[in-house]
Amino acid sequence: MRTATRSGRGGGLAVTAMVAAVAMTAACSGGGGGGGVTTDLQLGTGSTGGVYYPLGQEYASIFVDTIEVEGLNVTAVETGASVENLAKIARGELQLGIAQHNTAQNAVTGSGEFEGAKVENVGLLGKLYPEAAQIITLESTGIDSVDDLRGKTVAIGPPGGGTREAAEQILAAYGLEDGSYTALEEGFADAKTKLQDGNADASIEVLGVPAASLQELHATTGGVTLVPLGGPELDTIAENSDFEKYEIPAGTYDFLDEPVPTVSVFASLYASTTQVSEELGYELTKALYEHADDLTLAQKELITVEEATVGQGDVPLHPGARKYLAEQGLLD
C-alpha cells in the first residue's frame, strides 16, 4: 500500500474552481466524470490533525490486506476533506472519499457549495461514525461562549471541507457574520499549533468523538476548553440544517468534567459509481464493516453495519454496497 499526501492546501478560490469544474465535467461527459473502472484507487481523507486522515490510511491498508481482487491498490491521500473529496470523485481524480453526510447530500442535489454542480457518479458505501462540532479554545483565553468569539481570531477549517460550512453556520446563528471575527482557513493540525502559539483564539472543528488530537493538545497545554452551544441558537442550527443536536459526554476527554451540548453530522465513505465496479464496491463495503475491529482509532466502536444507511438521504447506494447490505438483510 502506498500513502501519499498533498503538497499544499488550496485556497477558497481553488475549491470554488474545483466545484465549478464539476458542472463542466458532467456536461461534457453526460453524467459523472472520470475514466473507466479501475482497481488503482485514490482515497480522499482530510487534513492531518483530524480523524479522516489516519482513518483513511488504516482503511487503505485493510482494503489491500483483506480484499482478493487482482491488481488492487489503495492510496490514502491528504485533502481538504468533504467538499474536495466529492468534487474529485465527480472529476475522476479520486475513486473513494470520506465526507460528511450533509455535504454529500448537497453534492447529489446540486445545492450548498455544489450549487449548479450536481454530482451524479457518487454512491454511498456506508456510514462510519458521528462527528461533533467542537469549538476548541484554551482556558487562558477566557472564552466561555460563542458570543465571546466576537472580535477574536477563529480557525474555521480549510477550504474544501465540511467543517468550514458548519463553522460559518454556527457563528451566523449566534449573530457572528463576516467581519465579526478574523477567520483563519487552517487545517486542524495548523489550527492547534496557532492555538498553542497564541495566534488563534479558538478553532472550530467537526471531529469524531473522542478526537485524540484534543487529548494531545491538552497534554501539551494543560488547559483545553470546549465551548458549548445552547439557547435558541442551537435549535435554529438543528432546524435549518442537516445537523442534529448532540451532547459530548462528560469524561470523553480528561479535561471534560461536564457534558457539552453541540451538533453533529455523520462521516461516511463514498465511492465512484463509474470507476469502482459493483464487485469491488461489494468487497469494499464488506471490509469496511467486517474489519472495523482492525482499526486502532477509538471511532471503530461506532462503525456498525446496522447503521450503514443512517444519513443516506438522497445519495444512492453504490451497487456493490446495495448487494452487500441486501445480503445482510438490511434493505427493504
Side-chain angles (χ1 to χ4, degrees):
M1 185 211 118
R2 296 175 288 116
T3 300
T5 60
R6 295 171 69 222
S7 59
R9 298 179 180 84
L13 291 177
V15 174
T16 300
M18 185 188 309
V19 173
V22 172
M24 183 178 298
T25 299
C28 293
S29 64
V37 170
T38 181
T39 55
D40 187 8
L41 309 181
Q42 299 276 310
L43 192 169
T45 61
S47 63
T48 58
V51 175
Y52 286 10
Y53 182 70
L55 181 69
Q57 288 184 310
E58 292 196 16
Y59 260 126
S61 294
I62 288 171
F63 293 152
V64 170
D65 292 343
T66 64
I67 296 176
E68 296 183 1
V69 170
E70 185 176 355
L72 179 63
N73 183 60
V74 184
T75 304
V77 296
E78 182 189 358
T79 68
S82 298
V83 175
E84 182 174 338
N85 291 342
L86 294 166
K88 285 190 170 182
I89 286 176
R91 296 180 63 186
E93 297 172 14
L94 293 174
Q95 293 72 45
L96 302 172
I98 305 172
Q100 294 169 3
H101 84 279
N102 55 327
T103 306
Q105 176 76 10
N106 289 343
V108 300
T109 58
S111 57
E113 293 194 56
F114 287 86
E115 185 72 38
K118 184 184 295 186
V119 176
E120 298 182 349
N121 68 323
V122 66
L124 173 68
L125 291 184
K127 175 210 160 192
L128 297 170
Y129 57 87
E131 297 185 288
Q134 299 176 64
I135 304 178
I136 307 158
T137 189
L138 302 181
E139 292 178 3
S140 57
T141 65
I143 295 172
D144 296 317
S145 67
V146 178
D147 193 61
D148 289 340
L149 297 177
R150 192 176 304 276
K152 299 296 195 295
T153 300
V154 184
I156 60 173
T163 287
R164 179 169 177 167
E165 181 182 3
E168 290 175 340
Q169 285 184 317
I170 289 169
L171 293 169
Y174 287 86
L176 277 70
E177 304 287 354
D178 288 345
S180 300
Y181 57 93
T182 300
L184 296 179
E185 299 178 341
E186 301 289 348
F188 297 152
D190 291 340
K192 291 183 180 68
T193 297
K194 290 195 173 183
L195 276 175
Q196 291 178 249
D197 295 344
N199 294 316
D201 298 300
S203 176
I204 302 178
E205 305 180 10
V206 180
L207 299 169
V209 178
S213 58
L214 265 68
Q215 199 64 55
E216 293 167 3
L217 179 64
H218 179 68
T220 301
T221 64
V224 172
T225 296
L226 293 185
V227 179
L229 303 184
E233 295 87 355
L234 177 57
D235 294 329
T236 297
I237 296 168
E239 291 169 3
N240 294 282
S241 69
D242 291 320
F243 295 99
E244 298 185 1
K245 291 182 182 180
Y246 183 80
E247 191 172 79
I248 302 174
T252 297
Y253 301 107
D254 291 345
F255 57 83
L256 203 61
D257 297 326
E258 297 180 356
V260 175
T262 184
V263 292
S264 72
V265 292
F266 302 115
S268 299
L269 183 63
Y270 298 91
S272 168
T273 55
T274 52
Q275 291 190 293
V276 177
S277 68
E278 178 177 348
E279 174 193 6
L280 183 51
Y282 173 93
E283 296 296 339
L284 290 166
T285 308
K286 181 178 181 180
L288 183 70
Y289 292 109
E290 296 188 9
H291 290 279
D293 284 344
D294 295 345
L295 297 167
T296 65
L297 301 171
Q299 283 71 31
K300 70 179 184 180
E301 304 296 336
L302 305 175
I303 300 174
T304 64
V305 70
E306 289 78 14
E307 295 189 346
T309 60
V310 171
Q312 178 184 350
D314 294 321
V315 182
L317 283 171
H318 188 281
R322 178 173 293 281
K323 180 180 179 181
Y324 176 76
L325 295 177
E327 286 183 359
Q328 305 307 306
L330 297 173
L331 301 180
D332 295 334

